[in-house]
Amino acid sequence: MRAVSVQARARRSGVVEDAAQAFGSWQGERRVGATGVVTCFSFGPIKNLTCGLGGAIVPRTPLEADICRRLRGLGIVESAAQRAEVTTYTIDGFGMRVQMSPLNAAVGLVQLVHFAEAETRRRALWRAYAAALDGIDGVSLVDADVDRTVPALCAVRVLDGRRDRVFHTLLERGIGVGVHYPPNHTQPAFAAWHRPLPVTEHLGGQIMTLPFHQHLTEAAAEHITGELRAALAAETDR
């Protein structure tokens, strides 16, 4: 972020920080979101802090906050409280209907009260996975700098072209693995700007995420890792 911010200032551009997976993590001496740039958080079901579905933007200035409010509310200038006292309202530009519902916000506020516990549990679970994965041939843990990060996922690299077969074997054994994420530049939406990125494509064919949330026990992590070990061994015996 420091390097990006320097380059952005030199070009008189702003920085919008995509912190969808990073709630609670640290950037230098500050929590992500308090680093002086516009920061976007996601509070989806599997995120570090959840409200069921929704997100938040941390603006830098009152003007940016005002723009965000208008964008989320159909471009309407006045607040809901102001509109309740008048017979009309003002729309002065583009907007969408993307407000977080009060119900989701209430869930998020309750989750926030317990976030310190979730933070501790996620770090402990990630370390349990790291210990259980140590020494397993054919798989490499993707480091998350867990001392300064609240892990949102536990990602591994399955080596030697075996990812897809191991992935399906684990699903058949009831292990809810995933892939976060397929490389964006290979998606049809970006076809007009496509160019080969061989390293990204190589890694994109290896990554796999293991089940990970603060309610998962360390014993479950050991079981999952054992199933991964067995799946890899089965591939070796092919």
Side-chain angles (χ1 to χ4, degrees):
M1 283 300 297
R2 291 191 188 96
V4 168
S5 296
V6 169
Q7 292 294 322
R9 283 195 297 271
R11 291 165 170 77
R12 302 182 67 182
S13 298
V15 174
V16 177
E17 183 176 33
D18 177 1
Q21 306 275 23
F23 189 88
S25 297
W26 293 84
Q27 173 67 30
E29 299 302 317
R30 296 182 178 182
R31 294 270 193 179
V32 171
T35 51
V37 299
V38 177
T39 303
C40 301
F41 290 113
S42 171
F43 301 140
I46 66 168
K47 299 301 192 293
N48 296 345
L49 178 71
T50 184
C51 68
L53 187 65
I57 299 174
V58 181
R60 298 171 298 181
T61 66
L63 176 59
E64 289 177 347
D66 186 53
I67 291 171
C68 289
R69 291 188 184 100
R70 296 185 192 192
L71 285 172
R72 77 179 180 184
L74 297 173
I76 299 174
V77 174
E78 293 83 5
S79 68
Q82 291 171 326
R83 296 200 303 275
E85 298 176 353
V86 297
T87 58
T88 187
Y89 52 80
T90 308
I91 298 174
D92 70 352
F94 174 76
M96 301 170 284
R97 184 174 288 282
V98 291
Q99 303 99 323
M100 184 189 297
S101 76
L103 177 60
N104 289 107
V107 172
L109 288 172
V110 173
Q111 294 291 317
L112 185 59
V113 172
H114 300 285
F115 181 71
E117 179 183 354
E119 179 178 6
T120 299
R121 283 292 311 134
R122 282 176 173 272
R123 285 185 168 134
L125 179 62
W126 197 92
R127 291 188 174 103
Y129 265 126
L133 289 164
D134 187 40
I136 299 181
D137 292 333
V139 66
S140 173
L141 179 65
V142 178
D143 186 23
D145 187 16
V146 72
D147 291 330
R148 300 192 59 78
T149 300
V150 180
L153 300 166
C154 182
V156 297
R157 292 169 56 196
V158 181
L159 309 179
D160 304 325
R162 297 182 287 178
R163 195 274 308 272
D164 288 6
R165 294 192 300 273
V166 169
F167 176 89
H168 289 294
T169 297
L170 290 174
L171 286 182
E172 291 169 0
R173 296 180 179 180
I175 306 299
V177 289
V179 174
H180 296 79
Y181 297 92
N184 279 343
H185 74 290
T186 64
Q187 299 292 347
F190 305 107
W193 303 277
H194 178 82
R195 64 186 177 92
L197 298 173
V199 174
T200 299
E201 292 157 19
H202 178 68
L203 293 175
Q206 294 181 333
I207 56 172
M208 182 176 71
T209 45
L210 305 178
F212 193 88
H213 54 82
Q214 59 260 33
H215 304 294
L216 194 70
T217 65
E218 295 177 19
E222 292 179 1
H223 168 71
I224 292 163
T225 307
E227 292 289 346
L228 174 58
R229 187 193 299 269
L232 288 164
E235 286 299 317
T236 301
D237 294 338
R238 279 179 180 267

